[in-house]
Amino acid sequence: MKCLNCSVDAREVDSEMDGIELVCPECGHFGVSSLIMKQRARRAFDVEKTQVFLHREREINPDRVPVINSESVIWA
Ligand SMILES: [Zn+2]
């Protein structure tokens, strides 16, 4: 599948969360909640700011997969 943030080829991985989890060469391993999946049909993420957010989250919490949800989403 295409990365939900930057659109390069990414790999979807099994997820326990309510949404989609994927691994992208540019954005890394992250999740997108099902609510945001619905909303992004009409809107797009700010690609660069979202990548910065994801990389920063992984620095803060290396053991946790960062998730784009209603609180963390950065719309373009
Ligand atoms: Zn990506």
Side-chain angles (χ1 to χ4, degrees):
M1 71 181 291
K2 300 288 183 197
C3 175
L4 299 172
N5 183 41
C6 72
S7 302
V8 306
D9 281 322
R11 182 168 52 90
E12 186 174 352
V13 295
D14 287 338
S15 180
E16 310 262 297
M17 62 171 269
D18 179 19
I20 283 187
E21 216 173 295
L22 55 99
V23 179
C24 165
E26 300 293 328
C27 308
H29 184 178
F30 68 100
V32 180
S33 76
S34 58
L35 178 65
I36 295 296
M37 287 298 295
K38 287 190 199 112
Q39 294 176 343
R40 74 177 280 287
R42 284 172 280 120
R43 309 177 72 176
F45 299 154
D46 184 311
V47 176
E48 282 184 23
K49 285 184 187 164
T50 299
Q51 284 177 344
V52 169
F53 160 76
L54 294 171
H55 291 310
R56 203 186 53 213
E57 283 296 298
R58 273 187 293 265
E59 276 173 18
I60 300 168
N61 289 304
D63 300 334
R64 230 179 51 193
V65 175
V67 176
I68 298 173
N69 55 29
S70 320
E71 278 163 32
S72 64
V73 67
I74 307 165
W75 296 115

